[in-house]
Amino acid sequence: MAVKSLFIVCFMSALIQLTLASKARHFKWEVGHIFWSPDCLENVVIGINGQFPGPTIRAKAGDTIVVELTNKLHTEGVVIHWHGIRQFGTPWADGTAAISQCAINPEETFVYRFIVDKPGTYFYHGHYGMQRSAGLYGSLIVDVADGEKEPFHYDGELNMLLSDWWHKDVTEQGLGLSSKPFRWIGEPQSLLINGKGQYNCSLAAHVSNSSLPLCRKLHGHCSPHVLHVIPNKTYRLRIASTTALASINVGIGHHKMVVIEADGNYVEPVTVDNIDIYSGESYSVLITTDQNPSSNYWVSLNVRGRNPSTPPGLTILNYHPNSPSKLPTSPLPVSPAWNDYPKSKAFSNKILARPGSPKPPTKPNRRIFLLNTQNTIDGYTKWAINNISLVLPTTPYLGSIKYRLKNAFDVESPPETFPSDYDVMKPPVNPNSTHGSNVYMFKFNNTVDVILQNANALSADVSEIHPWHLHGHDFWLLGYGEGKFTAADEKKLNLKNPPLRNTAVIFPYGWTALRFVTDNPGVWAFHCHIEPHLHMGMGVVFAEAVHLVKKIPNEALGCGMTAKMLIRP
Amino acid sequence: MAVKSLFIVCFMSALIQLTLASKARHFKWEVGHIFWSPDCLENVVIGINGQFPGPTIRAKAGDTIVVELTNKLHTEGVVIHWHGIRQFGTPWADGTAAISQCAINPEETFVYRFIVDKPGTYFYHGHYGMQRSAGLYGSLIVDVADGEKEPFHYDGELNMLLSDWWHKDVTEQGLGLSSKPFRWIGEPQSLLINGKGQYNCSLAAHVSNSSLPLCRKLHGHCSPHVLHVIPNKTYRLRIASTTALASINVGIGHHKMVVIEADGNYVEPVTVDNIDIYSGESYSVLITTDQNPSSNYWVSLNVRGRNPSTPPGLTILNYHPNSPSKLPTSPLPVSPAWNDYPKSKAFSNKILARPGSPKPPTKPNRRIFLLNTQNTIDGYTKWAINNISLVLPTTPYLGSIKYRLKNAFDVESPPETFPSDYDVMKPPVNPNSTHGSNVYMFKFNNTVDVILQNANALSADVSEIHPWHLHGHDFWLLGYGEGKFTAADEKKLNLKNPPLRNTAVIFPYGWTALRFVTDNPGVWAFHCHIEPHLHMGMGVVFAEAVHLVKKIPNEALGCGMTAKMLIRP
């Protein structure tokens, strides 16, 4: 009895500590179309509470985030995905339409309630149709819990949420992608830093050989988001990318960066001149303001991996007490050539776990190979994984699997690999693939390896970058390789200090190996984070021990077969 | 027993006759965005099965129409309203989002199944957000049942579905209307006949004093919908208007028209030079091709009631065997001045019931006055009825009333009249009104009068045309009057031969009186058919004996409180 009492006392004390330390943070958001000028040209944008980007959420590890989201779009459903948040115990709050919940209908409110258990740099964004591209995103920053300390020192913080922007609305973009003949969205008109860019002008016209004129209008929406610093301090610069398409190189004139965090996980500090960041990734870098304090410095974004037609995204690192409008006279920081893949790979390979980070299980229970190919289906251009182009079902998987509804999706198991004689260096010989909504079903607490295998696209000598993002998990990124993954590559896998990430890029003609543990009952998307690629079918679905999922809120079930079968007046 | 047997025999015989005579007509439709050039300029349009306008439905009186509608829009819900079809016994098939059903989610299928009980000229269109303006419409024509005859002779038939077209997409239009400061949609770029118009050119440049050049591209989407006729015949020309805004005068050069049908009801034949048609109305007119057969003739549409900036919509009445591309050399038919309201009123007053038509009950059980005013609410520009600007609830009324859900809409009864000292000739003294989702509740089989009272808008000396459309019913149009309706106007009401209509216009500063019988259990919208006006709150909701409504399909209930309260896993 004494032991039991002691246990109760300890438990109560822990509970009280938790209650004291952690906090529920309430937000009331209205998502709606707004007139806005992200790059100085007015467009219709999806905003939150009348602003673009959406409000930054700032919380502490252990806090409960409660977002009461009301959809004020006139005819469109909406969901919000909390990118990088694992949603332990709350898989219905992952914000993926047709996977974790029914899209929220116009005028309806859905309450996203979830715990942010891990400090880091995150963001949130729409996950329905191409609403992310339409502007539905914002930052989510989780600080260490009270009493905890970050494992590095800094004097101040800066935040940059990167995105790319098109002037054509997403309805037209999405229609073009789904049309025969295919209409590609093209390169973005502008790169945005915290929702701000400059179209048809350059902040750096006086120091670059761009044909664009110097920007004149620099107020309101047209002003860049300046980063204000004090000389001789160390800053943590958080950088997250929610681009629809662009892979971005970020450089700061005359300043080195020390990478310390990736996707909400501490990494072994590494000093670099600039970083490559792919859509879906986040980094924290430390910068020290030890340069000539009488100048301001360029912060520049350049497109990587695609022959760029988008001018650099620019803002200014403003040393106090200089005027923020004092433009740097130095040339723009040197960015690697768009197709300097060795440089990109070298950077990716530098990102390693900080000593003391959790290590991966030594062996997987199951290994899945996912071949990434571009294909045609009935003449429509698609992306496919092991020859299946993902088409999401009408009824979200979470409800249909939990309630064992029949015919809600394609029940055959999708392939675990691809033909061994497939030549990843050539366009598909027979490019036809099929549509499917098939699901990879996982038992609870298994260790799963995924080998993402890139290949040649439909055109000869083309293979693209794809940043793959996993919901509900971090994975260990075991390594990158060239060509087709073979048995000999097994020994190249890094089981010693692989970084934990939620997004991993595959390079042209290469492979990337991941390992994760199926410790989170729910249904989780795993997909290319390039918005038009996902729209074209580039994703798979993982279901984990759904029988262990607790009661799904009715608000997540009001569509498809869960509505049809479960409404009982 | 003999009587019972006889009854059964009679019943079976009636059933067999019905089965023989009437027919179920099945359609499979996919609603989706398409690239289309309604007026020769490419836009994103909502089409059905890849075409714009949607397919024409042709049926016979007594037939059952079955439309399996699959929503292929990427993120938008959709519904289709069958304009003029009363939906006896099938109120959930009326196709009004938030009133009769939940909007159909992307990738979901809803089956509209209803009987077309009355021959006539109808159409169908989207009834969610401003999707009608986006192109979601088509013709629905019901012929007399087999063995029945139309009460007039004609040799052939022609059909014109009229609409107006903007190049700005409806998301932007709707956002502007809901913005502060208010952004009006402006006048349409083009008037369309069966989905075809010509932008920035004129078919009649050679005979009009328009500054537009003669149209050169006249193929594909750019060709007008030519009306082909044989000399010396009589044609029934069906004309329906699904314009978003424009009131239209239709004239045919050198040809008279004999009006014989209005909104699916026969009228006393009346010969006119041209007709005024308001959004939501339909007419059939007889024309006789007795003019010089070596010429073709203009069919022209002109905007009424608004100072027009839209050029005439044109097509050609093509006398066989002339080439359809032979442009008429005669001047365009004379159209009344846009603000010649006496002419419009004279035309409206000529539309009277054909002898033998059903007569209205002599006295109403209830009379409701509906004051139409333009107002501001929190600085937003709105239309209001008796000072309430309609905001539709999240949960469709049909389900929430039937299942007696609490707090689904504003339950206070809306006002039955307006202050007797209200000056309809002046802008509102205190323009503030409120938003509301209140419902006029009616008992079964009551006779209801509605007096629609027009008034001055927010600006001095402005009062607009509003065509009011009633769902689920035809009403007797008892008359039009000037200024405020007074007791003295009672005797002006036409109880002798008022026409049955489903749409009735109110003229600037005037009133219009209607009578109908609440013989159709369901919830029915009654609203201004101008799409932006409805968007701005210009409507009311009538609920009739909802307890008599049979089982609502689950597919109509998967949203709002009907989903939240009635899903029982």
Side-chain angles (χ1 to χ4, degrees):
Chain A
M1 281 298 281
V3 173
K4 195 173 169 187
S5 295
L6 184 66
F7 174 79
I8 289 173
V9 167
C10 286
F11 177 80
M12 291 301 288
S13 147
L15 200 72
I16 289 162
Q17 278 190 340
L18 200 72
T19 313
L20 283 176
S22 69
K23 189 171 156 181
R25 294 180 190 267
H26 285 264
F27 302 89
K28 271 192 185 243
W29 284 3
E30 292 190 345
V31 172
H33 283 119
I34 55 175
F35 289 112
W36 202 268
S37 307
D39 61 0
C40 235
L41 192 84
E42 189 181 78
N43 267 121
V44 175
V45 175
I46 301 185
I48 297 176
N49 293 347
Q51 68 182 81
F52 165 79
T56 294
I57 291 184
R58 189 110 204 181
K60 290 183 178 163
D63 285 352
T64 298
I65 305 291
V66 184
V67 178
E68 283 182 55
L69 190 108
T70 300
N71 179 3
K72 302 301 281 186
L73 299 166
H74 292 148
T75 55
E76 295 182 51
V78 80
V79 294
I80 289 188
H81 169 58
W82 314 92
H83 187 108
I85 306 303
R86 289 171 295 172
Q87 303 288 356
F88 280 118
T90 52
W92 48 78
D94 192 43
T96 45
I99 300 173
S100 65
Q101 69 169 118
C102 295
I104 308 161
N105 295 311
E107 295 301 326
E108 294 201 46
T109 299
F110 185 86
V111 181
Y112 287 101
R113 184 189 304 267
F114 55 89
I115 291 171
V116 289
D117 61 339
K118 209 159 50 79
T121 304
Y122 306 103
F123 54 104
Y124 60 83
H125 59 79
H127 212 296
Y128 189 35
M130 291 178 64
Q131 291 179 342
R132 176 159 61 94
S133 294
L136 184 51
Y137 45 76
S139 291
L140 195 176
I141 295 173
V142 181
D143 291 301
V144 292
D146 282 338
E148 302 281 320
K149 273 193 155 181
E150 297 278 7
F152 32 78
H153 164 80
Y154 48 89
D155 303 301
E157 255 197 65
L158 303 162
N159 182 46
M160 296 204 300
L161 179 63
L162 313 184
S163 57
D164 42 7
W165 188 249
W166 281 255
H167 294 156
K168 194 174 278 185
D169 72 74
V170 296
T171 301
E172 187 169 349
Q173 288 184 41
L175 175 59
L177 295 171
S178 319
S179 288
K180 192 164 59 174
F182 180 68
R183 298 192 191 185
W184 176 241
I185 60 167
E187 297 299 313
Q189 273 68 63
S190 307
L191 301 177
L192 309 182
I193 299 171
N194 293 333
K196 284 160 176 282
Q198 295 80 35
Y199 178 64
N200 252 350
C201 72
S202 169
L203 293 176
H206 57 302
V207 296
S208 73
N209 51 10
S210 150
S211 59
L212 293 171
L214 194 69
C215 297
R216 299 260 163 231
K217 284 193 296 179
L218 283 177
H219 46 80
H221 294 176
C222 299
S223 61
H225 180 95
V226 169
L227 306 177
H228 301 282
V229 293
I230 292 168
N232 296 311
K233 300 281 179 191
T234 298
Y235 288 87
R236 176 182 192 163
L237 172 58
R238 299 177 184 269
I239 310 172
S241 174
T242 183
T243 56
L245 174 64
S247 306
I248 290 179
N249 182 270
V250 184
I252 304 177
H254 297 240
H255 291 73
K256 298 263 181 197
M257 301 168 168
V258 182
V259 184
I260 50 166
E261 180 219 341
D263 299 357
N265 294 288
Y266 299 126
V267 299
E268 177 72 24
V270 55
T271 303
V272 294
D273 289 326
N274 49 59
I275 67 163
D276 281 335
I277 183 166
Y278 303 96
S279 179
E281 293 187 331
S282 67
Y283 288 103
S284 287
V285 299
L286 298 181
I287 57 170
T288 303
T289 52
D290 53 6
Q291 295 302 302
N292 178 352
S294 68
S295 282
N296 290 334
Y297 295 88
W298 293 117
V299 177
S300 86
L301 317 184
N302 280 282
V303 172
R304 299 286 273 131
R306 307 182 68 90
N307 197 342
S309 61
T310 311
L314 294 173
T315 188
I316 288 161
L317 185 70
N318 168 226
Y319 270 52
H320 185 79
N322 299 332
S323 161
S325 59
K326 181 178 182 181
L327 294 176
T329 50
S330 51
L332 288 178
V334 176
S335 176
W338 70 269
N339 54 358
D340 184 353
Y341 293 112
K343 189 121 189 176
S344 297
K345 291 170 191 173
F347 175 74
S348 291
N349 279 308
K350 282 181 194 159
I351 306 301
L352 296 167
R354 184 167 170 272
S357 302
K359 291 205 171 174
T362 50
K363 282 203 181 311
N365 300 98
R366 186 167 162 190
R367 176 174 283 174
I368 294 170
F369 293 85
L370 297 179
L371 175 68
N372 291 227
T373 58
Q374 199 176 35
N375 306 71
T376 56
I377 303 180
D378 304 330
Y380 293 94
T381 304
K382 298 287 173 189
W383 289 95
I385 306 307
N386 292 349
N387 232 25
I388 297 178
S389 185
L390 179 64
V391 174
L392 291 172
T394 311
T395 313
Y397 295 101
L398 189 65
S400 64
I401 297 175
K402 168 93 179 155
Y403 298 114
R404 299 163 186 274
L405 304 181
K406 290 201 196 307
N407 306 317
F409 56 88
D410 297 324
V411 290
E412 307 89 70
S413 299
E416 306 257 320
T417 188
F418 55 93
S420 58
D421 60 352
Y422 189 90
D423 186 348
V424 300
M425 305 306 289
K426 295 264 164 60
V429 178
N430 174 1
N432 282 315
S433 63
T434 58
H435 291 295
S437 56
N438 316 63
V439 176
Y440 291 90
M441 296 280 188
F442 295 120
K443 291 187 183 138
F444 190 51
N445 269 337
N446 267 5
T447 298
V448 175
D449 275 10
V450 175
I451 313 290
L452 287 162
Q453 179 64 58
N454 210 342
N456 200 101
L458 283 170
S459 307
D461 301 320
V462 173
S463 182
E464 297 188 20
I465 282 176
H466 303 286
W468 278 77
H469 171 62
L470 178 58
H471 292 229
H473 296 274
D474 287 332
F475 50 74
W476 288 275
L477 205 166
L478 305 184
Y480 308 90
E482 306 287 326
K484 190 148 64 171
F485 183 89
T486 64
D489 290 317
E490 190 72 36
K491 61 178 183 297
K492 295 184 194 157
L493 300 184
N494 172 14
L495 300 181
K496 212 182 72 194
N497 60 348
L500 279 164
R501 305 288 306 247
N502 60 53
T503 303
V505 67
I506 53 172
F507 292 106
Y509 300 110
W511 56 260
T512 298
L514 328 172
R515 181 166 295 176
F516 70 101
V517 177
T518 59
D519 56 1
N520 195 1
V523 185
W524 309 109
F526 180 45
H527 62 92
C528 176
H529 209 259
I530 292 179
E531 185 99 317
H533 288 187
L534 175 57
H535 192 83
M536 293 161 71
M538 198 167 209
V540 294
V541 176
F542 291 166
E544 271 169 58
V546 176
H547 62 286
L548 298 178
V549 169
K550 301 223 160 47
K551 190 184 170 347
I552 303 167
N554 274 2
E555 289 83 346
L557 298 171
C559 65
M561 292 173 68
T562 39
K564 182 168 169 156
M565 312 293 281
L566 305 179
I567 288 179
R568 288 152 188 166
Chain B
M1 280 297 280
V3 174
K4 196 175 171 188
S5 297
L6 185 65
F7 173 78
I8 288 173
V9 167
C10 287
F11 177 78
M12 292 300 288
S13 144
L15 200 70
I16 289 162
Q17 279 191 340
L18 198 71
T19 312
L20 284 177
S22 67
K23 191 173 157 180
R25 294 179 190 268
H26 285 264
F27 302 88
K28 269 190 187 247
W29 284 3
E30 292 191 344
V31 173
H33 283 118
I34 54 175
F35 289 112
W36 203 268
S37 306
D39 61 0
C40 235
L41 192 85
E42 190 181 78
N43 267 120
V44 175
V45 175
I46 300 185
I48 297 175
N49 294 346
Q51 69 182 80
F52 165 79
T56 294
I57 291 183
R58 188 111 203 179
K60 289 181 178 166
D63 285 353
T64 299
I65 304 292
V66 184
V67 178
E68 282 182 57
L69 190 110
T70 301
N71 179 4
K72 303 299 281 185
L73 300 167
H74 292 149
T75 55
E76 294 183 52
V78 78
V79 294
I80 289 188
H81 169 57
W82 315 92
H83 187 109
I85 307 302
R86 288 171 295 173
Q87 302 287 357
F88 279 119
T90 53
W92 48 78
D94 192 43
T96 44
I99 299 174
S100 65
Q101 69 171 116
C102 296
I104 308 161
N105 296 312
E107 295 302 326
E108 294 201 46
T109 300
F110 185 88
V111 180
Y112 287 101
R113 184 189 303 268
F114 55 88
I115 292 171
V116 289
D117 62 337
K118 206 158 53 80
T121 304
Y122 306 103
F123 54 104
Y124 61 83
H125 59 78
H127 213 294
Y128 189 35
M130 291 178 64
Q131 292 180 340
R132 174 158 63 93
S133 294
L136 184 50
Y137 44 76
S139 291
L140 196 176
I141 295 173
V142 182
D143 292 303
V144 291
D146 282 337
E148 302 282 319
K149 274 191 154 181
E150 297 279 7
F152 33 79
H153 164 81
Y154 48 90
D155 304 299
E157 255 196 66
L158 303 163
N159 183 47
M160 296 204 300
L161 179 62
L162 313 184
S163 57
D164 42 8
W165 188 249
W166 282 254
H167 295 157
K168 194 174 277 186
D169 72 73
V170 297
T171 302
E172 186 168 351
Q173 288 184 42
L175 175 59
L177 295 170
S178 318
S179 288
K180 190 162 60 172
F182 180 69
R183 298 193 191 183
W184 176 238
I185 60 168
E187 298 299 313
Q189 273 70 63
S190 306
L191 300 177
L192 309 182
I193 299 171
N194 294 331
K196 283 159 176 280
Q198 294 81 34
Y199 178 64
N200 251 350
C201 72
S202 170
L203 295 175
H206 58 300
V207 297
S208 74
N209 51 10
S210 151
S211 59
L212 293 171
L214 193 68
C215 297
R216 298 262 162 228
K217 286 191 296 179
L218 282 176
H219 46 82
H221 294 175
C222 298
S223 62
H225 181 96
V226 169
L227 306 177
H228 301 283
V229 293
I230 291 169
N232 296 310
K233 300 281 180 190
T234 298
Y235 287 86
R236 178 183 191 164
L237 172 58
R238 298 178 185 270
I239 309 172
S241 174
T242 184
T243 55
L245 174 64
S247 306
I248 290 178
N249 181 271
V250 183
I252 304 177
H254 297 242
H255 292 73
K256 298 264 182 196
M257 302 167 167
V258 182
V259 184
I260 51 167
E261 180 219 341
D263 299 359
N265 294 288
Y266 300 127
V267 299
E268 177 71 24
V270 54
T271 303
V272 294
D273 290 324
N274 48 57
I275 67 163
D276 282 334
I277 183 166
Y278 303 96
S279 179
E281 292 188 331
S282 68
Y283 287 103
S284 287
V285 300
L286 298 180
I287 57 169
T288 302
T289 51
D290 54 5
Q291 296 300 302
N292 179 351
S294 69
S295 281
N296 289 334
Y297 296 89
W298 293 118
V299 178
S300 85
L301 318 183
N302 280 281
V303 173
R304 300 285 274 131
R306 307 181 69 89
N307 197 343
S309 62
T310 312
L314 294 174
T315 189
I316 287 161
L317 186 70
N318 168 226
Y319 271 53
H320 184 81
N322 300 333
S323 163
S325 59
K326 181 177 183 180
L327 294 175
T329 50
S330 52
L332 288 177
V334 176
S335 175
W338 71 269
N339 54 0
D340 184 351
Y341 293 111
K343 190 124 189 177
S344 298
K345 293 171 190 171
F347 174 74
S348 291
N349 278 307
K350 281 180 193 161
I351 306 301
L352 296 167
R354 185 166 170 271
S357 302
K359 292 207 170 172
T362 49
K363 281 205 181 314
N365 299 95
R366 187 167 162 189
R367 177 174 282 174
I368 295 169
F369 294 84
L370 297 179
L371 175 68
N372 291 225
T373 57
Q374 200 176 35
N375 304 72
T376 56
I377 302 181
D378 304 329
Y380 293 94
T381 303
K382 298 287 173 187
W383 289 96
I385 306 306
N386 291 350
N387 232 24
I388 297 179
S389 185
L390 180 63
V391 173
L392 291 172
T394 310
T395 313
Y397 295 101
L398 188 64
S400 65
I401 298 175
K402 167 92 179 157
Y403 298 114
R404 300 164 185 274
L405 304 181
K406 291 204 196 305
N407 305 318
F409 56 89
D410 297 323
V411 291
E412 308 86 70
S413 298
E416 307 256 319
T417 189
F418 54 93
S420 59
D421 60 353
Y422 189 90
D423 187 346
V424 301
M425 305 306 289
K426 295 265 164 59
V429 177
N430 174 1
N432 283 316
S433 62
T434 57
H435 290 296
S437 55
N438 317 62
V439 176
Y440 291 90
M441 297 281 187
F442 296 121
K443 291 186 184 139
F444 191 52
N445 268 336
N446 266 5
T447 298
V448 175
D449 276 11
V450 175
I451 313 292
L452 287 162
Q453 179 65 58
N454 211 341
N456 200 101
L458 284 170
S459 305
D461 301 321
V462 173
S463 182
E464 298 187 21
I465 282 175
H466 303 287
W468 277 77
H469 171 63
L470 178 57
H471 290 229
H473 296 273
D474 288 332
F475 49 73
W476 289 275
L477 204 167
L478 305 183
Y480 309 89
E482 306 286 327
K484 189 146 64 169
F485 184 90
T486 63
D489 289 315
E490 190 72 38
K491 60 179 183 300
K492 295 183 193 158
L493 300 184
N494 172 13
L495 300 182
K496 211 183 72 195
N497 60 350
L500 278 165
R501 304 290 305 249
N502 60 52
T503 304
V505 66
I506 53 172
F507 292 106
Y509 301 110
W511 56 261
T512 298
L514 327 173
R515 181 165 296 176
F516 69 101
V517 177
T518 59
D519 55 1
N520 195 1
V523 184
W524 309 109
F526 181 45
H527 62 90
C528 176
H529 209 260
I530 293 177
E531 186 100 315
H533 288 187
L534 175 57
H535 192 82
M536 294 161 70
M538 199 167 206
V540 295
V541 176
F542 291 166
E544 273 170 58
V546 175
H547 62 286
L548 298 177
V549 169
K550 300 223 160 46
K551 190 187 167 349
I552 303 167
N554 275 2
E555 288 84 345
L557 298 171
C559 65
M561 293 174 69
T562 39
K564 184 170 168 154
M565 311 295 281
L566 305 179
I567 287 180
R568 288 152 188 168

